[in-house]
Amino acid sequence: MASAVYILDQKGKILISRNYRGDVPLNIADRFISKLMEQEEESSGIKPIIPDPEKGVNYLYVHLNNLYLLSVTTQNANAAMSLLFLHKMAGVFREYLKELEEESIRDNFVIIYELLDEMMDFGYPQITETKILQEYITQESHQLEKQRKLPAAVTNAVSWRADNIKYKKNEVFLDVIEKVNLLANSNGTQIRSEIVGCIKMKSLLSGTPELRLGLNDRVQFESTGRSAPS
């Protein structure tokens, strides 16, 4: 989880800051550039994670063009998730601003703050798909327009499926595939056995409905003459 997220210019000056948890001072990012320069002097390679034991924080950053996207955490957070969020954040900014530069950040700070509020909540990543964000956060002449009603995409849609898919007949096909693996020695003694299974689904459902599926073995029990457990 992230305590705060910053956007810095090439010299380390804070352009945008969002403190999600309130457990780090607002000026904690001022130490980032000095720590980065120390790392460059001490090591031949530049790492995307810089610890600051004196302040009890870790800096995770992405350098793009003339900007630093910085995440600050006070805990042993998932570094891969934090860096992935920064890259996702950069992708969303590009979709909205077209050019991810210092000037574009300064001209659109209102929408940047709105996006940061939607993309992360209390330090946990939330909505990072541009397609979903664009349904209820729009930009026109550097102004933010927000719909009064929460769109359906936030509740039951996904970014990888369009909501206008239509089928003449709503159907779902399920295949349950099971494999039994058995390992035995030359005397026929069983050494190891396992059952590996998977469920394959083919969905022909219109739109993006909420679907609940339940599996039981009642049919199997009835076919063998046994009563199904209650």
Side-chain angles (χ1 to χ4, degrees), residues 112-130:
I112 294 294
Y113 276 113
E114 290 288 343
L115 289 171
L116 290 177
D117 287 339
E118 297 296 339
M119 295 176 65
M120 180 169 282
D121 183 22
F122 200 61
Y124 293 96
Q126 299 295 317
I127 306 172
T128 58
E129 294 293 339
T130 307

Side-chain angles (χ1 to χ4, degrees), residues 200-217:
K200 294 186 176 181
M201 174 185 292
K202 182 178 182 180
S203 173
L204 300 176
L205 297 176
S206 301
T208 54
E210 181 179 347
L211 182 63
R212 294 184 179 181
L213 299 176
L215 302 177
N216 59 56
D217 48 11

Side-chain angles (χ1 to χ4, degrees), residues 6 41 46 48 54 80 89 92 131 152 156 158 175 185 203 208 223 228:
Y6 298 86
E41 294 175 357
I46 300 178
E54 183 178 346
M89 183 174 70
V92 170
K131 179 181 177 181
N156 65 349
V158 290
D175 289 329
N185 59 19
S203 173
T208 54
S223 63

Side-chain angles (χ1 to χ4, degrees), residues 68-109:
Y68 287 99
L69 307 184
L70 175 65
S71 173
V72 179
T73 176
T74 60
Q75 303 182 10
N76 187 19
N78 187 328
M81 182 182 69
S82 299
L83 293 173
L84 178 60
F85 173 79
L86 294 178
H87 282 283
K88 285 280 190 179
M89 183 174 70
V92 170
F93 290 167
R94 287 194 184 97
E95 291 291 333
Y96 274 88
L97 311 180
K98 305 307 177 184
E99 295 292 337
L100 188 55
E101 301 285 348
E102 178 181 344
E103 183 178 355
S104 62
I105 295 295
R106 293 182 183 275
D107 291 342
N108 298 277
F109 68 93

